[in-house]
């Protein structure tokens, strides 16, 4: 496991660049990851998706289904990809500090 | 010479079947020689380290790949299966060993030019190892590193005019039997339908939006050469409505021994002289055939289109002219609640461009399953949980006897309130006026 140093903070990450511990998440993390996820400027839309993912994860212990993410944020899947080019799993969940998606991906 | 000793794998170079070990060694050698002078973008000894880690696995009898892996290309939510070795120091050549799924042409017909261009791309940016093809149908490029993914994707799309296949909770890469291209049993153009629907639903294939994975497969007749009924959530199986065409002269040629039964498929063993009674008439599952010594008759109203007689006497018996397909739904592997094969939903549907009737069934199913399907619940499981009746309702299909192999034998029958005179709202006092407590 690698350790990333950024803006005076350090983060433990896996090979795919997902945080090892949700508790390590902080706004600097988003700033650090955004470039590798193809995001130049963080907008309100990004923040809304990240906030909802974190909220949902804290309450339910899992990431929401894509359908629920769309319903609650009001963003269609197409808009989510416009915000996060690598999609809700690899892009948004990674930036929100959620654990890596698993299963037959 | 070889980087790692592989005594166990070496055993698998013996015997008559093409040895994957010999082939991988050959690729390892070719990379070491590098006769084309390529500037290899991933470790040159990747195939050798793969053999090394595989030998270790044979020794330990445990896999040496880490759990999962999330990599991909911008714009898509799937297409690449990330994978990392759990002994990267010992086998640095396969520290990253991601698999790229590449969408194959329907029926898997290729030109050497095309395959060469794929190989050129993969030699430079990958391990040089492939799977031709994955069970779902994709060309599988086996083993590369994360920084190469966008490079490969750029070249695939810009130079080879080829896209990635599907992975994740989405529409996976559809596949078809070779259909009308070289099979006289084909009731519809399975390749064209496969190709058309693959293009139609690109968004659903590249960006996971479903509760779980969803697969299409297209068999142009009930023989099921792409195994649609067992390996796809939505199976389209060729079918005909009218009569089987019989050429009595050719039937006699089979009886006379001029033509070999089953096109000679059983010629490796002496099964005796062809006996049309025993091998065809008596084997018909509905006993709807008869042979009086000179004429073969079929009562087509009782024929279930099982293909047996046509398969045995392909020169004499042909599928009908009024062709189309059946649609079956819900096939899946055992996890979670047991294996399923497709259940008949549409007995007969026309298959003609632009395939609007078929698209309508698909989209009605998706509208329902995307809304009602639970997280990681295959269509077949949603059908079990919510009932086949519900599937009929959302697809607007009337229930018919063909929807069941047998009627239910338990009496736990739900009725809709509007079907019952008086409805469900009852007053106990009214009841008591007739029945004392
Ligand atoms: C770690 C988890 C898994 C991995 C790495 C994995 C990997 C794969 C791969 C590589 C293929 C072949 C894809 C292709 O040929 O294009 C495949 C096919 C398939 N997988 Fe999985 N899989 C996993 C979990 C599952 C689970 C949990 C299920 C069932 C609930 C499942 C059901 C299937 C089915 C039905 C096929 C298609 C088989 C066919 O087309 O004949 N897989 N899987
Ligand atoms: C539409 C109404 C009913 C249905 C569909 C129904 C169905 C069933 C079924 C399937 C069983 C299990 C039989 C077995 O173990 O093989 C059963 C058992 C039983 N039912 Fe009913 N039942 C109904 C009404 C009633 C009523 C009105 C009563 C009593 C007034 C009743 C009393 C029982 C009893 C006592 C058993 C247990 C018998 C035993 O295991 O020894 N049932 N019922
Ligand atoms: S499924 Fe039928 S039509 Fe398709 S290749 Fe097989 S036998 Fe021919
Ligand atoms: S197709 Fe099958 S059911 Fe129909 S006549 Fe031939 S053997 Fe009988």
């Amino acid at each position: 496991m690698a350790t990333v140093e950024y803006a005076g903070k350090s983060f433990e990450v896996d090979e795919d660049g997902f945080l090892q511990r949700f508790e390590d998440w902080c706004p600097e993390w988003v700033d650090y990851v955004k470039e590798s996820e193809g995001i130049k400027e963080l907008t309100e839309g990004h923040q809304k998706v990240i906030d909802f993912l974190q909220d949902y994860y804290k309450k339910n212990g899992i990431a929401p289904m894509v359908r629920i993410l769309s319903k609650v944020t009001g963003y269609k899947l197409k808009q989510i990809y416009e915000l996060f080019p690598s999609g809700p799993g690899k892009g948004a969940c990674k930036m929100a500090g959620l654990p890596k998606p698993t299963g037959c991906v | 010479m070889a980087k790692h000793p592989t005594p166990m794998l070496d055993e698998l170079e013996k015997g008559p079947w093409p040895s994957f070990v010999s082939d991988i060694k050959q690729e390892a050698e070719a990379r070491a020689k590098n006769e084309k002078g390529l500037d290899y973008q991933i470790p040159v000894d990747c195939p050798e380290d793969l053999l090394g880690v595989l030998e270790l696995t044979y020794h330990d009898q445990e896999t040496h790949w880490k759990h999962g892996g999330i990599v991909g290309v911008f714009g898509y939510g799937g297409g690449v299966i990330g994978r990392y070795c759990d002994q990267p120091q010992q086998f640095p050549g396969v520290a990253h060993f991601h698999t790229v799924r590449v969408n194959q042409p329907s029926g898997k017909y290729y030109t050497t030019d095309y395959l060469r261009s794929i190989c050129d791309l993969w030699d430079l940016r990958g391990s040089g190892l492939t799977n031709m093809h994955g069970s779902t149908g994709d060309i599988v490029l086996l083993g590369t590193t994360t920084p190469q993914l966008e490079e490969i994707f750029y070249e695939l799309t810009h130079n080879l005019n080829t896209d990635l296949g599907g992975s994740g909770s989405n529409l996976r890469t559809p596949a078809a039997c070779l259909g009308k291209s070289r099979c006289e049993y084909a009731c519809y153009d399975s390749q064209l339908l496969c190709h058309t629907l693959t293009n139609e639903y690109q968004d659903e294939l590249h960006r996971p939006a479903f509760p779980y994975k969803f697969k299409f497969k297209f068999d142009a007749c009930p023989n099921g050469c792409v195994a649609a009924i067992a390996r796809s959530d939505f199976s389209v199986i060729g079918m005909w409505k009218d009569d089987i065409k019989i050429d009595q002269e050719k039937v006699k040629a089979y009886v006379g021994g001029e033509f070999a039964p089953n096109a000679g498929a059983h010629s490796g063993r002496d099964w005796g002289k062809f006996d049309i009674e025993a091998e065809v008439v008596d084997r018909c599952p509905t006993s709807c055939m008869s042979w009086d010594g000179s004429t073969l008759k079929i009562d087509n109203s009782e024929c279930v289109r099982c293909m047996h007689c046509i398969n045995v006497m392909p020169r004499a018996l042909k599928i009908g002219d009024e062709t189309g397909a059946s649609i079956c739904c819900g096939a899946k592997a055992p996890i979670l609640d047991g294996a399923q094969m497709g259940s008949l939903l549409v007995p007969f549907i026309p298959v003609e461009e632009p395939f609007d009737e078929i698209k309508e069934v698909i989209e009605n199913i998706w509208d329902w399953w995307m809304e009602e399907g639970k997280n990681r619940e295959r269509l077949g499981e949603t059908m079990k949980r919510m009932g086949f009746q519900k599937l009929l309702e959302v697809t607007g299909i009337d229930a018919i006897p063909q929807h069941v192999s047998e009627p239910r034998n338990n009496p736990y029958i739900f009725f809709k309130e509007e079907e019952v005179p008086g409805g469900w709202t009852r007053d106990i006092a009214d009841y008591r006026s007739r029945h004392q407590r």
Side-chain angles (χ1 to χ4, degrees):
Chain A
M1 291 305 129
T3 307
V4 169
E5 303 285 343
Y6 182 78
K9 309 253 172 170
S10 78
F11 305 96
E12 257 184 59
V13 298
D14 67 11
E15 291 95 339
D16 292 319
F18 278 77
L19 275 185
Q20 293 289 83
R21 286 180 302 270
F22 180 61
E23 304 75 56
D24 290 355
W25 185 90
C26 59
E28 288 82 2
W29 169 252
V30 177
D31 202 43
Y32 167 72
V33 173
K34 68 178 198 284
E35 200 191 311
S36 69
E37 289 305 322
I39 297 164
K40 285 201 188 74
E41 227 29 82
L42 210 71
T43 64
E44 235 173 87
H46 292 107
Q47 199 57 50
K48 188 167 161 190
V49 170
I50 291 175
D51 288 347
F52 171 67
L53 289 175
Q54 295 192 328
D55 226 42
Y56 191 95
Y57 180 68
K58 282 183 215 157
K59 282 195 193 118
N60 302 292
I62 53 167
M65 290 168 75
V66 171
R67 194 170 77 224
I68 296 170
L69 177 65
S70 282
K71 246 188 207 158
V72 176
T73 58
Y75 293 132
K76 296 216 163 67
L77 190 60
K78 190 162 168 282
Q79 294 169 297
I80 295 176
Y81 274 88
E82 278 159 17
L83 291 168
F84 298 93
S86 38
K90 179 173 176 289
C93 283
K94 183 195 280 186
M95 289 180 81
L98 270 58
K100 180 153 77 182
T102 57
C104 184
V105 292
Chain B
M1 218 212 69
K3 191 171 164 196
H4 310 282
T6 54
M8 279 186 274
L9 288 177
D10 294 347
E11 288 294 314
L12 299 181
E13 295 195 86
K14 300 172 185 166
W17 295 97
S19 163
F20 74 94
V21 176
S22 304
D23 287 353
I24 296 177
K25 286 184 177 175
Q26 194 180 6
E27 177 64 12
E29 244 173 73
R31 283 172 77 91
K33 274 198 206 135
N34 192 9
E35 279 177 351
K36 287 187 188 158
L38 293 180
D39 176 18
Y40 289 122
Q41 296 295 297
I42 77 162
V44 61
D45 56 3
C46 174
E48 289 190 78
D49 276 349
L50 181 70
L51 288 173
V53 75
L54 187 59
E55 180 76 17
L56 181 65
T57 295
Y58 273 44
H59 178 267
D60 300 346
Q61 301 188 18
E62 281 183 335
T63 185
H64 281 288
W65 302 110
K66 291 188 188 180
H67 179 79
I70 293 289
V71 291
V73 297
F74 285 147
Y76 290 1
V80 185
I81 319 301
R83 191 181 289 118
Y84 303 96
C85 181
D86 73 3
Q87 300 296 333
Q89 293 78 16
Q90 203 180 345
F91 306 106
V94 293
H96 289 212
F97 198 72
H98 310 323
T99 287
V100 183
R101 289 186 185 164
V102 176
N103 201 163
Q104 83 290 1
S106 291
K108 306 190 178 88
Y109 288 94
Y110 292 106
T111 61
T112 54
D113 270 352
Y114 179 79
L115 289 176
R116 272 175 216 284
S117 60
I118 290 264
C119 290
D120 287 344
L121 164 60
W122 193 236
D123 278 342
L124 181 67
R125 304 194 176 278
S127 66
L129 307 175
T130 66
N131 175 2
M132 295 298 274
H133 298 72
S135 326
T136 301
D138 307 81
I139 297 173
V140 175
L141 303 180
L142 272 177
T144 191
T145 60
T146 308
Q148 287 306 309
L149 296 176
E150 291 286 356
E151 308 289 336
I152 291 163
F153 185 54
Y154 183 92
E155 287 195 33
L156 272 178
T157 49
H158 289 73
N159 304 334
L160 301 181
N161 196 22
T162 296
D163 207 338
L164 297 183
S167 71
S169 290
N170 58 3
L171 174 64
R172 302 295 182 88
T173 310
C177 77
L178 48 79
K180 294 209 161 176
S181 69
R182 51 179 196 137
C183 181
E184 61 196 306
Y185 302 158
C187 301
Y188 72 93
D189 191 339
S190 53
Q191 290 173 279
L192 178 64
L193 181 59
C194 181
H195 180 76
T196 308
L197 294 187
T198 304
N199 284 342
E200 174 86 16
Y201 298 120
Q202 282 288 295
D203 276 355
E204 285 76 7
L205 193 154
H206 292 305
R207 296 176 171 182
F210 291 166
Y212 204 8
K213 65 175 83 162
F214 196 96
K215 299 181 185 184
F216 289 161
K217 280 190 170 64
F218 307 95
D219 279 314
C221 88
N223 278 333
C225 291
V226 77
I229 198 153
R231 303 192 305 154
S232 62
D233 302 77
F234 188 90
S235 324
V236 182
I237 301 167
M239 190 52 57
W240 66 94
K241 257 183 156 172
D242 52 344
D243 292 353
I244 292 178
K245 287 180 278 192
I246 310 179
D247 182 331
Q248 299 293 351
E249 288 313 306
K250 290 189 174 155
V251 172
K252 283 182 200 137
Y254 276 101
V255 173
E258 255 170 79
F259 297 151
N262 293 85
H266 306 297
S267 55
R269 187 169 156 188
D270 183 6
W271 292 92
K273 188 175 169 322
F274 176 59
D275 177 348
I276 191 169
E277 277 299 342
E279 293 177 43
V280 182
V281 176
D282 292 351
R283 299 213 160 249
C284 169
T286 56
S287 306
C288 70
M289 311 182 80
S290 62
W291 168 250
D292 64 7
S294 66
T295 310
L296 184 71
K297 286 203 185 115
I298 299 178
D299 175 0
N300 283 278
S301 67
E302 291 298 320
C303 164
V304 292
R305 281 86 174 140
C306 77
M307 295 299 297
H308 176 72
C309 58
I310 299 177
N311 286 339
V312 175
M313 302 195 290
R315 296 196 188 200
L317 303 180
K318 306 279 180 194
I319 60 166
D321 292 323
E322 235 181 289
T323 52
S326 303
I327 294 175
C328 297
C329 289
K332 58 175 283 287
I335 288 172
L336 284 168
D337 70 357
Q340 288 188 46
M341 305 237 276
S343 299
L344 181 72
L345 177 65
V346 185
F348 191 86
I349 195 163
V351 188
E352 279 149 21
E353 278 182 289
F355 311 119
D356 286 338
E357 294 88 349
I358 294 176
K359 287 180 197 164
E360 192 187 331
V361 180
I362 293 170
E363 288 165 26
N364 282 336
I365 291 175
W366 280 351
D367 282 349
W368 171 60
W369 179 61
M370 285 174 71
E371 195 52 42
E372 298 290 341
K374 293 192 179 177
N375 197 13
R376 302 235 170 128
E377 182 178 68
R378 290 290 283 267
L379 174 65
E381 292 164 341
T382 310
M383 285 159 58
K384 260 192 180 175
R385 180 170 57 83
M386 302 194 65
F388 193 77
Q389 189 67 40
K390 194 74 205 166
L391 179 66
L392 292 178
E393 233 169 75
V394 301
T395 47
I397 294 170
D398 289 336
I400 47 167
Q402 285 82 351
H403 282 139
V404 296
S405 59
E406 57 176 325
R408 66 192 304 152
N409 50 30
N410 74 57
Y412 304 127
I413 298 168
F414 289 93
F415 293 86
K416 291 209 172 89
E417 184 167 5
E418 62 270 22
E419 294 166 344
V420 179
W424 298 154
T425 315
R426 306 286 165 123
D427 180 7
I428 184 77
D430 171 54
Y431 175 82
R432 284 287 163 240
S433 69
R434 283 171 283 118
H435 304 282
Q436 298 178 25
R437 228 191 131 96

